[in-house]
Amino acid sequence: MFDNLSTKLDRAIKTLKGQGSISEINVAATIKEIRRALVDADVNYKVAKDVTDKIKEAAMGRDVLTAVSPGQLMVKIVYDELTALMGGEKQDITIKGDPAVILLSGLQGSGKTTFAGKLASFVKKQNRTVLLVACDVYRPAAIDQLKVLGEQIGVEVYSEVENKNPVEISRNAIEYAKKNNKKVVIIDTAGRLAVDEQMMREIEDVKAAINPSETLFVVDSMTGQDAVNTAKTFNDRLNFDGVVLTKLDGDSRGGAALSIRAVVEKPIKFISTGEKMDALDLFYPDRMAQRILGMGDVISLVERA
Amino acid sequence: EKTKTNFFEQLSKAVVGKNTVDEAVLDDLETLLVHADVGIDTTVKVIDRIEARVARDKYVNTSELDRILREEIVALLEDNKSGSTAVLDRAGSTGQPYVIMVVGVNGVGKTTTIGKLAHRFHSAGKTVVLGAADTFRAAAVDQLIIWGQRVGVPVVSHGMNTDPASVAYDAVQKGVEMGADVVIIDTAGRLHNKVNLMNELSKIKRVMQKVIPDAPHEVLLVLDGSTGQNAFLQAKEFTKATEVTALAITKLDGTARGGVVIGISDQFNIPVRYIGVGEKMTDLQLFDRHTFVNSLFKK
Ligand SMILES: Nc1nc2c(ncn2[C@@H]2O[C@H](COP(=O)(O)OP(=O)(O)OP(=O)(O)O)[C@@H](O)[C@H]2O)c(=O)[nH]1
Ligand SMILES: Nc1nc2c(ncn2[C@@H]2O[C@H](COP(=O)(O)OP(=O)(O)OP(=O)(O)O)[C@@H](O)[C@H]2O)c(=O)[nH]1
Ligand SMILES: [Mg+2]
Ligand SMILES: [Mg+2]
């Protein structure tokens, strides 16, 4: 889509050439171009404005190297800023307590149930005993879905077919885990909209009842401008500890990731990259920055120069 | 957030009685549209059109401006000529089942939309058959079977991990045998950049044509209303693989505006047929261009 960004940037700061450094006047058009490129990668509009202000500040007065074009230099500056904004370093989840409880939340279809299976498999590989809990009492066949995944990875699934109360189910599941020596409990919940007051209260109640050591917000990487509103509301209600970004095996730029990070200031902890149970990765800010920008070649070029 | 009135007041102050639109206001318009996921390219197109009209018509007043803006956006949306009521009428009228194949990326709401559509047709007195051709995602078949039971329509299935094309074939076959009016085929969610999975869709489509040569009569691409600019690529690749004939946009009961379909409709000439506004079987509405555009400017 915007693979010609560096060409555009070159054109936008044409006047810069021969001047030797970046200044207020020659950078204005470039900044607008960058803002548009970010928005096209689904970075929230307001976040894109803030980011480009920072970029402008960082670029001001920088000397233009002869080995690279001004546009390429700008791309590198943008990349560095994006990486910094996404938190710099990777962060792990907290697995604490007896049992340790992990609560999943998010919009409909974001990939919670699939991620629940992946995380269970990930934890199991660390030689911990795991229990998956089916607290989605609404979606047709939600329990079956989790059970199929549990079977695939060899992890037990706790469910109560007749019980429609997620607070009770999750409480009972923890009792069950204690009795059956399960050290980690992962709770799958129904998808819900941030504007659905009743459903948001439900998950608040679940959280209050079980006191998880880690609450995660699972979000589809293809999400557009709305990602920010949603993440903000979920964070206000749940004060979650981290974000899981799903469906990154697609070709979305994933600008929502940057926006969420910028708005709720919570780290992205995992990325989900497929439908199979092993398609789970830790999150690396630099790789994500590169993806949002879509210009890996230019960045390494400038790094070498 | 600016209110609608504020926005139009500002916009009009800058244009009314002038023959050019001032920069700051166009920036505001850009913000508004981009916030609704309309995307930069389409936004620039709308702005260019408004500038051209303001330059041509010379004098523009407030209410005219409001109207012009809406008109320009509505014009980008493909007219839903055949309409869904027409689909309802057509279903069964040819003596053969009207076959709808539902496609889209993972988790957008395909299966749920099928449940809602089945309810819609069933309530209108049509006989409906569903085909469970998502044989891949955990419990996908069970999910569709539950929807079939809710609505009261039969579901053809071969269980999990079977050949989806042969499920689709049998579902269409069953539709013909039963003299059904509508057959709706569910397919597994797939990301459009996965070539093998996209080829599989083309195959499912071809196999159904062995039973009814012009099937599927509708290829419905389901887009999640909260999706950003990636929806463009989805529309492009699914169209390449299956010649998409209509769109459904889901989850518009949330805060997302689904503005990305404006550009998609404009560029690919595919009408939006339905919108999903909830998880119940009655939460499906016919798409209306004017209502949709008005909702872009709400709040
Ligand atoms: N390609 C791809 N598909 C994914 C990924 N994660 C989940 N999916 C698919 O996305 C769809 C939705 O995933 P679910 O795990 O059911 O999502 P959910 O959030 O539990 O959905 P609800 O419970 O309905 O809210 C399924 O088709 C999954 O197979 C991913 O990382 N990549
Ligand atoms: N709020 C809301 N939720 C919806 C709507 N349509 C579907 N959903 C929910 O979105 C989630 C995914 O829906 P599905 O119908 O399973 O999606 P799908 O495209 O079939 O998913 P895969 O088969 O896994 O690719 C479920 O939790 C649905 O209840 C809608 O219009 N509004
Ligand atoms: Mg789920
Ligand atoms: Mg489905």
Side-chain angles (χ1 to χ4, degrees), chain A residues 108, chain B residues 106-112 137 143 189 251 253 276 278-279:
Chain A
Q108 285 94 345
Chain B
N106 307 80
V108 288
K110 294 175 292 299
T111 308
T112 308
R137 218 235 26 248
Q143 186 187 4
K251 309 182 192 175
D253 43 331
E279 300 184 77

Side-chain angles (χ1 to χ4, degrees), chain B residues 274-285:
Chain B
Y274 308 101
I275 61 169
V277 292
E279 300 184 77
K280 296 193 300 292
M281 66 184 170
T282 48
D283 290 332
L284 187 77
Q285 296 174 0

Side-chain angles (χ1 to χ4, degrees), chain A residues 129-230:
Chain A
T129 48
V130 197
L131 182 69
L132 278 165
V133 183
C135 273
D136 180 351
V137 298
Y138 308 99
R139 171 172 164 163
I143 298 175
D144 298 323
Q145 187 187 359
L146 195 63
K147 278 188 176 161
V148 170
L149 299 178
E151 216 159 277
Q152 274 176 27
I153 56 173
V155 168
E156 190 182 348
V157 175
Y158 182 90
S159 66
E160 296 181 22
V161 181
E162 297 302 321
N163 196 344
K164 297 290 171 206
N165 185 336
V167 174
E168 282 174 21
I169 300 170
S170 55
R171 251 200 220 118
N172 296 344
I174 290 169
E175 282 314 306
Y176 180 88
K178 282 180 184 159
K179 286 197 191 104
N180 293 274
N181 196 34
K182 306 283 187 193
K183 295 298 180 197
V184 183
V185 176
I186 299 170
I187 300 189
D188 183 29
T189 62
R192 64 200 74 221
L193 294 170
V195 288
D196 189 333
E197 181 51 35
Q198 199 183 333
M199 288 296 284
M200 290 308 286
R201 196 168 308 149
E202 177 197 275
I203 197 160
E204 254 175 358
D205 291 346
V206 170
K207 186 179 177 187
I210 59 175
N211 191 28
S213 69
E214 183 80 22
T215 302
L216 294 169
F217 176 63
V218 181
V219 63
D220 186 328
S221 60
M222 295 179 276
T223 312
Q225 297 288 320
D226 191 51
V228 160
N229 303 331
T230 310

Side-chain angles (χ1 to χ4, degrees), chain A residues 107-114 118 136 139 145 189-191 246-249 272-275, chain B residues 106-107 137 191 194:
Chain A
L107 294 182
Q108 285 94 345
S110 59
K112 294 175 295 300
T113 306
T114 308
K118 292 177 183 183
D136 180 351
R139 171 172 164 163
Q145 187 187 359
T189 62
T246 65
K247 308 180 197 173
L248 274 169
D249 45 327
S272 201
T273 56
E275 298 189 72
Chain B
N106 307 80
R137 218 235 26 248
L191 294 177
K194 303 203 168 157

Side-chain angles (χ1 to χ4, degrees), chain B residues 5 11 43 64 78 107 129 132 166 169 179 189 192 197 199 228 235 238 247 251 273 281 289:
Chain B
T5 3
L11 188 56
T43 297
E64 271 173 344
E78 182 76 0
V129 174
S166 98
Y169 179 93
H192 52 279
L197 295 179
N199 288 341
F238 277 97
L247 305 173
K251 309 182 192 175
R273 198 88 80 205
M281 66 184 170
R289 294 194 290 177

Side-chain angles (χ1 to χ4, degrees), chain B residues 232-278:
Chain B
F232 262 102
L233 301 175
Q234 295 172 23
K236 185 172 159 216
E237 294 304 322
F238 277 97
T239 297
K240 223 192 263 168
T242 60
E243 293 163 70
V244 173
T245 60
L247 305 173
I249 318 161
T250 60
K251 309 182 192 175
L252 287 181
D253 43 331
T255 41
R257 300 280 156 83
V260 68
V261 296
I262 296 170
I264 291 174
S265 180
D266 178 44
Q267 194 171 321
F268 299 97
N269 302 317
I270 307 170
V272 183
R273 198 88 80 205
Y274 308 101
I275 61 169
V277 292

